Amino acid sequence: MMVLLNKMRKIYRNSRITQKLFLAFSILIAVPAIIVSFLFIRIQENQLYKDAMANGSSHVTKINEKLRSKMNIIENASSTALTQKAFIDYIHSNMRSDGLGLVKFRQNQYEQMHNIIQSNEMISQLSFYVDNPNLHEIWPEIYQYDRFSPQDYWETLRDEGGSAYRIFALQDGEHTLSYYRLVRLQGGQQKRPTIMEIRTSHRAFFSDLLEETEGDFFSVVMEGTSPSRYVYNPQHAFAQTAGENLDDILASVHRYLDPLDQDNPIQVKAGDHLYYAVYRYISPLDAYVVDIASHQVLMEGPRSWYVLVVTITLCVLLLMMVLVSQMTHRLFRRLDSVLSSMRQVRKGQLDAKIDTGLEADETGDEIDEVAVTYNKMLDEIQSLMTQVVDKQLIAKNAQLHSLHSQINSHFLYNALEAIRMKAEVQQQASIADAVVSLGALLRYSMKWNGDTVALREELDNIQSYVQFINFMEGSSFALTAEFPQEVLRYAIPKMCMQPIVENIIHHAAPQRKNVRIQITVWVEQNHLLFIEIFDDGIGVDPETLDALQAALKGDSDTPIVASKNGLGLENVHKRLQLHYGKGCGLWIDSVQGSYTCVTIRLPWENVNLGGW
């Protein structure tokens, strides 16, 4: 999280002022407008949901009342039919004993019962099932009880108070609702009661449901005990849209139906869609009248509002971007000249001043004041840089002059004094060789035609120096060198190696012990030239080594001073850094009692290599 915040801060910091102003205007204006708009739309969604649920609840209540009204019609028709006592008595008598009586029954009681049926358009059929072996089944309204299924259904009617509705009739009731009623309990042990059945088509009874094809709510009547049996209009837009998923939707809704909690809407999810449902329980039918609506359909209006709000917001942001761009372009047009001048100064052009266009008596605004102050600052910087360069040149020239004096006086005095004392004490032919070596050393040190020499010449001088020291002190220092041939012709600063070899001879050799000096030269990555001077002497104690390494890491602009033993390693290091920069100089590594290794690091580009 912190990494993301830091990255965002950097992006904001590096953005242009126009972008920052645009972001500020967006945060202060556009973002609150979007939030308020979305909150308003959300409130409208909630209100729309409440209104839709209220409308749905009102709708199912009306359907419930209409269905109960139709049930009253059916129950009244059944009561009227049962008032025909002569008809009821006759179908329980011996209808086969008297043919004339059967004809009279057809003309009177049966015709009256038939008129009752015909007078009610909702009733499609009225039937009596009688357990009477002398019954004639010559009319479609009278049947033997054996034709009724299931045979023991009369017990259910008895337990439910003598009557009951079935949304789907027991016999061939796929599209038929039936009302069953006990008519008479027969006497005798083997006889079963008589059942009256009034059948009405779903089209007639549920006309209010089956005629609706549009609207946000989809009405359906579900059996209370069977989630797979329901009545609905398959031509309704909801059913057409749901398609094969309709059964899953209805099954999901059925699981949440509760006759004790009819006032709270149901929310179910089927597939990827959310659905709302309101319902009423119809106790006589043991069924629920349910209105179902899709969340997507109900919120179709607010969704279009979201698109409208986003479109308006984008247009406002685009207009703001144009206005901010034009305003900042006019406001900061002169500031661009200041930034351009600063970029040129950063590249080293200290004379890149800002043209303000002001007259002598004009002061200008704040941006003009910045430009005038900036021009004065450039003048002061140039003046100070000139002073600093002059001071550094004077100081460094003085240091170099002092260095030449130290080398010539110190070396010549010691060398001549040693030869003089050796010549007085011993008269030997080897003195001639020593004089030859001394002459070479004198010629090399005193001949300053240039500040650089070829690496070959510096190595030859070191060889002469070691031979002369071996002659003077009777020691046997062994000098070896390893280098690629191509480096011998490259120029290096004159006498940059001799102070290091002097330091080895004076400090690295214990009494009566010879020391091996190894010089190794190599080039690394065509960038740096390394000269490593290694000796297997007594090394440097850790305390002194830490002090030397700390000094080599110090500031190269500190004054050069001579140590009691002549030029120290620190002075050589500072001289190299003075001319070639911080990437060059010396590095020392040592293990007391084992070895000392001093590495000289110089630039490999020969054309850029200068002397002291």
Side-chain angles (χ1 to χ4, degrees):
M1 189 65 181
M2 291 301 298
V3 175
L4 180 60
L5 290 176
N6 291 332
K7 185 176 292 185
M8 292 177 64
R9 287 195 198 98
K10 290 180 180 179
I11 294 175
Y12 177 79
R13 183 65 179 272
N14 297 328
S15 300
R16 297 182 64 84
I17 295 178
T18 54
Q19 296 172 336
K20 293 178 180 178
L21 287 176
F22 174 72
L23 179 62
F25 280 119
S26 300
I27 293 175
L28 293 176
I29 299 176
V31 173
I34 293 175
I35 294 175
V36 171
S37 300
F38 282 0
L39 288 177
F40 174 76
I41 294 174
R42 185 61 179 171
I43 293 173
Q44 294 299 314
E45 284 184 348
N46 292 334
Q47 186 62 42
L48 182 63
Y49 168 77
K50 292 179 181 178
D51 294 343
M53 294 302 103
N55 293 334
S57 178
S58 175
H59 185 254
V60 295
T61 300
K62 290 178 181 179
I63 294 178
N64 180 27
E65 292 174 353
K66 290 181 179 180
L67 293 181
R68 288 184 180 274
S69 176
K70 292 180 179 181
M71 285 190 292
N72 290 334
I73 293 174
I74 293 175
E75 291 171 5
N76 291 335
S78 70
S79 298
T80 302
L82 293 180
T83 58
Q84 305 298 315
K85 189 174 183 303
F87 179 90
I88 301 299
D89 291 340
Y90 188 79
I91 63 176
H92 287 89
S93 65
N94 188 354
M95 297 177 64
R96 300 177 183 273
S97 62
D98 186 3
L100 182 61
L102 188 63
V103 172
K104 291 181 179 180
F105 172 77
R106 169 68 180 82
Q107 295 175 347
N108 297 307
Q109 288 85 3
Y110 176 79
E111 189 65 28
Q112 292 176 1
M113 184 66 69
H114 189 70
N115 290 335
I116 293 174
I117 299 172
Q118 293 295 325
S119 64
N120 195 324
E121 296 180 355
M122 186 185 306
I123 299 175
S124 60
Q125 183 179 353
L126 186 148
S127 302
F128 289 88
Y129 297 90
V130 185
D131 187 11
N132 181 7
N134 297 316
L135 182 73
H136 269 301
E137 293 182 338
I138 57 177
W139 298 289
E141 287 82 5
I142 306 172
Y143 296 97
Q144 285 285 351
Y145 190 87
D146 292 339
R147 293 181 178 273
F148 185 81
S149 177
Q151 297 285 303
D152 58 352
Y153 185 67
W154 69 272
E155 296 178 357
T156 301
L157 292 176
R158 182 191 61 190
D159 296 339
E160 293 184 0
S163 63
Y165 285 92
R166 297 279 300 184
I167 294 179
F168 295 91
L170 294 174
Q171 295 172 286
D172 189 24
E174 183 177 355
H175 301 291
T176 305
L177 178 142
S178 290
Y179 175 67
Y180 301 95
R181 186 166 179 175
L182 286 176
V183 177
R184 176 181 295 181
L185 293 176
Q186 301 287 2
Q189 187 175 2
Q190 300 297 327
K191 291 189 177 182
R192 290 163 292 191
T194 300
I195 296 177
M196 179 179 65
E197 179 187 23
I198 298 178
R199 298 168 69 91
T200 179
S201 67
H202 286 172
R203 174 61 62 182
F205 193 82
F206 299 109
S207 58
D208 297 312
L209 278 73
L210 300 179
E211 290 175 359
E212 292 183 355
T213 58
E214 299 294 337
D216 295 336
F217 282 92
F218 170 63
S219 300
V220 58
V221 176
M222 299 183 177
E223 273 194 353
T225 57
S226 177
S228 61
R229 305 191 75 178
Y230 26 74
V231 180
Y232 65 90
N233 182 7
Q235 304 302 320
H236 193 278
F238 182 94
Q240 296 290 326
T241 303
E244 296 180 354
N245 297 324
L246 182 60
D247 291 340
D248 294 335
I249 297 171
L250 297 180
S252 299
V253 171
H254 191 277
R255 285 197 296 268
Y256 292 94
L257 297 178
D258 185 356
L260 301 180
D261 189 20
Q262 304 180 56
D263 296 329
N264 295 322
I266 297 173
Q267 293 186 16
V268 297
K269 192 169 185 180
D272 297 331
H273 296 283
L274 181 66
Y275 299 93
Y276 304 113
V278 291
Y279 62 96
R280 290 291 180 271
Y281 180 65
I282 305 176
S283 178
L285 295 178
D286 188 21
Y288 297 91
V289 179
V290 186
D291 269 10
I292 304 173
S294 170
H295 172 82
Q296 184 177 6
V297 174
L298 288 180
M299 301 304 165
E300 187 174 358
R303 285 186 177 181
S304 63
W305 299 345
Y306 279 116
V307 175
L308 180 62
V309 168
V310 172
T311 303
I312 294 175
T313 303
L314 290 177
C315 293
V316 171
L317 288 177
L318 181 60
L319 180 61
M320 286 173 52
M321 183 182 297
V322 174
L323 293 176
V324 169
S325 177
Q326 291 296 324
M327 181 181 65
T328 54
H329 177 71
R330 294 178 178 274
L331 184 61
F332 297 109
R333 182 170 52 189
R334 287 175 298 150
L335 187 59
D336 288 338
S337 62
V338 178
L339 296 175
S340 177
S341 176
M342 289 181 177
R343 294 188 187 101
Q344 294 178 17
V345 171
R346 188 167 52 190
K347 295 178 181 179
Q349 301 179 15
L350 296 180
D351 57 345
K353 295 185 178 180
I354 303 170
D355 184 12
T356 60
L358 296 174
E359 300 293 338
D361 56 345
E362 288 183 326
T363 58
D365 56 13
E366 290 83 354
I367 297 179
D368 291 326
E369 184 178 355
V370 170
V372 172
T373 304
Y374 180 76
N375 289 338
K376 292 180 180 180
M377 182 185 68
L378 288 181
D379 293 335
E380 293 179 1
I381 289 175
Q382 288 180 334
S383 176
L384 291 174
M385 289 182 64
T386 302
Q387 295 177 14
V388 170
V389 170
D390 291 342
K391 290 179 181 179
Q392 289 181 347
L393 288 175
I394 293 172
K396 291 176 180 178
N397 288 335
Q399 292 177 7
L400 293 176
H401 180 73
S402 174
L403 173 64
H404 281 296
S405 299
Q406 291 178 32
I407 292 175
N408 292 333
S409 61
H410 179 74
F411 182 80
L412 289 177
Y413 177 79
N414 289 339
L416 291 175
E417 182 65 19
I419 294 174
R420 184 188 64 80
M421 292 181 65
K422 196 74 174 180
E424 288 179 355
V425 174
Q426 298 178 2
Q427 295 182 356
Q428 298 181 5
S430 59
I431 294 177
D433 295 334
V435 173
V436 173
S437 298
L438 177 58
L441 291 172
L442 291 174
R443 284 192 299 273
Y444 185 82
S445 62
M446 291 183 173
K447 185 178 179 180
W448 287 82
N449 294 332
D451 292 327
T452 61
V453 296
L455 179 60
R456 179 188 292 108
E457 296 177 48
E458 186 72 4
L459 291 174
D460 291 341
N461 182 62
I462 295 299
Q463 183 66 41
S464 298
Y465 176 77
V466 172
Q467 291 177 357
F468 184 75
I469 291 300
N470 285 336
F471 168 76
M472 287 195 305
E473 298 183 2
S475 56
S476 56
F477 288 96
L479 176 66
T480 59
E482 293 182 4
F483 47 83
Q485 290 298 317
E486 62 268 18
V487 303
L488 291 178
R489 60 185 178 85
Y490 276 85
I492 65 172
K494 187 175 181 179
M495 298 193 70
C496 65
M497 299 168 57
Q498 182 169 328
I500 301 172
V501 177
E502 278 188 54
N503 194 66
I504 294 173
I505 291 173
H506 293 157
H507 301 289
Q511 294 181 356
R512 295 184 299 277
K513 181 178 180 182
N514 297 325
V515 175
R516 181 174 60 88
I517 302 173
Q518 173 69 38
I519 299 176
T520 305
V521 184
W522 74 93
V523 178
E524 186 173 291
Q525 297 180 351
N526 289 327
H527 179 61
L528 290 174
L529 176 68
F530 289 86
I531 303 175
E532 181 182 272
I533 303 175
F534 175 89
D535 71 84
D536 57 355
I538 62 175
V540 182
D541 62 90
E543 183 176 354
T544 304
L545 180 63
D546 291 341
L548 283 171
Q549 290 177 342
L552 295 180
K553 293 179 182 178
D555 187 1
S556 63
D557 289 334
T558 56
I560 297 177
V561 297
S563 66
K564 64 181 181 178
N565 295 316
L567 287 175
L569 297 179
E570 181 183 357
N571 287 342
V572 175
H573 172 72
K574 291 178 179 178
R575 287 158 53 204
L576 293 175
Q577 285 200 335
L578 184 65
H579 289 274
Y580 307 126
K582 295 289 186 180
C584 298
L586 301 185
W587 180 252
I588 183 171
D589 186 23
S590 180
V591 174
Q592 189 174 11
S594 180
Y595 73 90
T596 301
C597 181
V598 179
T599 303
I600 303 174
R601 187 166 53 244
L602 295 172
W604 171 242
E605 293 81 6
N606 197 48
V607 293
N608 296 325
L609 190 62
W612 302 123

